[in-house]
Amino acid sequence: MRRRLSELAMLALALAPVAVQAKDKLPPDAFAVSMPLPPTPPSANGSIFQGAYVPLTSGGRAGQVGDILTIQLVERTAATKSNAAGTQRDGDIGLSPPTTGPLSFFNPSDIGMGGGQQFKGKGEASQSNALSGEVSVTVAAVYPNGTMLVKGEKFLTLNRGDERVQISGIVRAIDISPDNRILSTRVANATIRYVGKGEIARASRQGWLQRFFSMISPF
């Protein structure tokens, strides 16, 4: 028995680093800062406004690769689900034996039958999430239809751990306010990640050996 437990522990030790590495499949530059493109030399066409011209109506709104805008995180989601079922069935049967004849030796209690069946089931589930704050990102790409790909992250080093907020998605220029702010609910195909490392994060996570036995447990 001890030998078998030792073999399981060694197997869990070998699989633990693999599980940790496969947990995060995003590339390391998924939320990297996007730098502005080098300006193209103006063409000698005699025009007053060249390709880098920004109209006065756009103000200081972000519109080119490398520009900075702030995303206001106002994420709130809530979901609930419940179901219930119940069934019940009863049945009785009884026969009165004759008082005379060859069957008169039966008692009424000997040939009486009854049965019953009952089932009740109930299930409930609920989940809610909330995230608020602000994250400044940079424009990574500008598409022909006017939408822009933005991405960025905020890294905080606190007393007992590190916190990282990462976000990427597609925004419309019309949704950007004059002070270069946009709500996270206006970001299409948004990817928002809030992860942490340190003592607090480790204390709220199961140990690798306990996670291993939880995966192989049939109960």
Side-chain angles (χ1 to χ4, degrees):
M1 186 65 181
R2 293 182 179 178
R3 182 180 179 182
R4 185 172 299 176
L5 291 176
S6 301
E7 293 177 354
L8 291 176
M10 294 298 295
L11 180 60
L13 183 61
L15 294 177
V18 178
V20 173
Q21 294 178 0
K23 185 177 180 180
D24 195 351
K25 298 181 180 180
L26 292 175
D29 59 344
F31 301 93
V33 177
S34 300
M35 303 302 295
L37 299 176
T40 56
S43 57
N45 53 10
S47 176
I48 299 176
F49 303 111
Q50 302 299 325
Y53 165 71
V54 179
L56 296 176
T57 55
S58 64
R61 291 186 178 91
Q64 297 181 357
V65 175
D67 289 350
I68 300 175
L69 60 90
T70 301
I71 297 180
Q72 294 177 296
L73 301 175
V74 290
E75 297 296 322
R76 291 185 179 273
T77 58
T80 58
K81 180 180 180 180
S82 63
N83 56 28
T87 60
Q88 184 175 0
R89 182 171 62 182
D90 297 319
D92 292 299
I93 183 173
L95 297 176
S96 298
T99 57
T100 60
L103 299 178
S104 60
F105 64 91
F106 282 104
N107 293 322
S109 60
D110 295 338
I111 55 176
M113 294 185 299
Q117 183 180 359
Q118 186 176 1
F119 169 78
K120 290 183 179 180
K122 185 179 181 180
E124 294 181 356
S126 62
Q127 183 177 356
S128 61
N129 298 281
L131 183 63
S132 60
E134 293 184 346
V135 179
S136 294
V137 298
T138 56
V139 178
V142 180
Y143 300 113
N145 62 349
T147 59
M148 297 174 290
L149 172 64
V150 297
K151 60 181 181 179
E153 62 181 351
K154 177 185 290 187
F155 185 76
L156 304 174
T157 300
L158 304 179
N159 187 23
R160 293 295 182 182
D162 301 330
E163 303 291 332
R164 188 188 299 268
V165 184
Q166 300 171 325
I167 183 171
S168 66
I170 299 176
V171 301
R172 299 188 306 172
I174 194 174
D175 295 328
I176 303 175
S177 64
D179 58 347
N180 271 333
R181 276 180 165 82
I182 185 173
L183 299 177
S184 61
T185 54
R186 295 288 185 176
V187 180
N189 197 27
T191 300
I192 303 175
R193 303 177 73 244
Y194 188 96
V195 295
K197 295 180 180 180
E199 295 180 4
I200 305 300
R202 288 195 301 268
S204 61
R205 186 172 61 246
Q206 287 184 342
W208 60 267
L209 186 59
Q210 188 174 3
R211 293 198 304 269
F212 172 76
F213 284 109
S214 298
M215 290 187 295
I216 64 175
S217 176
F219 305 103

